[in-house]
Amino acid sequence: GPISVAVYAPGSDLEDSIDAILYYRDCTNSSLVRDLATFHIYFDLSHIPAQVPRQDSLLHKRPNCLLPEGLTNTITYKKRMELVYPVNVARNIARVTASSHFIFPSDIELYPSPHLIPEFLAMIRRNEKKMPKNQPRVFVNSIFEIAANHSLPSTKAELIILMESNTVIPFHKHVCPQCHK
């Protein structure tokens, strides 16, 4: 399905972020990014880039299809300035700007189950009469942490076995145990 991506680009990270977006959108062998992703760039008022291009100028900017320097340079403005990544701001920007009816908030390091979208939509169709359109619903999707170097489970049965062996645990179980009660 469509993806709404919020990109934090303070200071001089803006130009590298734009180059990286254009590279993945126009220079790779797949049209998935171009066809399915929308990008929403944001930064702190106290870290405004020296030059912020007008939106319409970005529509005509052509990518340089060499791997952008920003993808190999690990010394970003954010890192140099020791800025904290505003994850909740990013999530809210991506959510508000999403161009679809259903929204699945997810961070970049989270992997949804295979076939999640068609299975979710099938569940909605099966229960459509129980869900009046004028009453918004929230569907909770549990997330888990898995031990390093372990394969992801592909079924619920495999997930249960991995949980019983503590190879998989609820997300942040040790960071916030009271959140799981």
Side-chain angles (χ1 to χ4, degrees), residues 148-173:
N149 301 318
H150 201 283
S151 299
L152 295 173
S154 35
T155 66
K156 183 176 179 179
E158 289 177 20
L159 174 64
I160 291 169
I161 291 168
L162 293 175
M163 287 186 71
E164 288 170 349
S165 68
N166 284 324
T167 302
V168 168
I169 61 171
F171 184 67
H172 281 183
K173 179 180 178 179

Side-chain angles (χ1 to χ4, degrees), residues 105-156:
S106 182
D107 294 343
I108 196 70
E109 74 276 8
L110 301 178
Y111 300 96
S113 301
H115 313 294
L116 174 72
I117 294 171
E119 289 177 9
F120 175 79
L121 293 174
M123 179 200 69
I124 295 295
R125 281 190 294 278
R126 283 191 310 271
N127 295 286
E128 199 165 5
K129 291 180 179 154
K130 297 176 191 170
M131 295 186 274
K133 292 184 182 353
N134 60 349
Q135 295 178 354
R137 298 277 193 264
V138 173
F139 298 91
V140 177
N141 187 57
S142 298
I143 58 176
F144 304 91
E145 297 178 49
I146 190 166
N149 301 318
H150 201 283
S151 299
L152 295 173
S154 35
T155 66
K156 183 176 179 179

Side-chain angles (χ1 to χ4, degrees), residues 95-115:
R95 180 181 53 80
V96 168
T97 56
S99 61
S100 61
H101 182 73
F102 294 108
I103 298 171
F104 180 72
S106 182
D107 294 343
I108 196 70
E109 74 276 8
L110 301 178
Y111 300 96
S113 301
H115 313 294

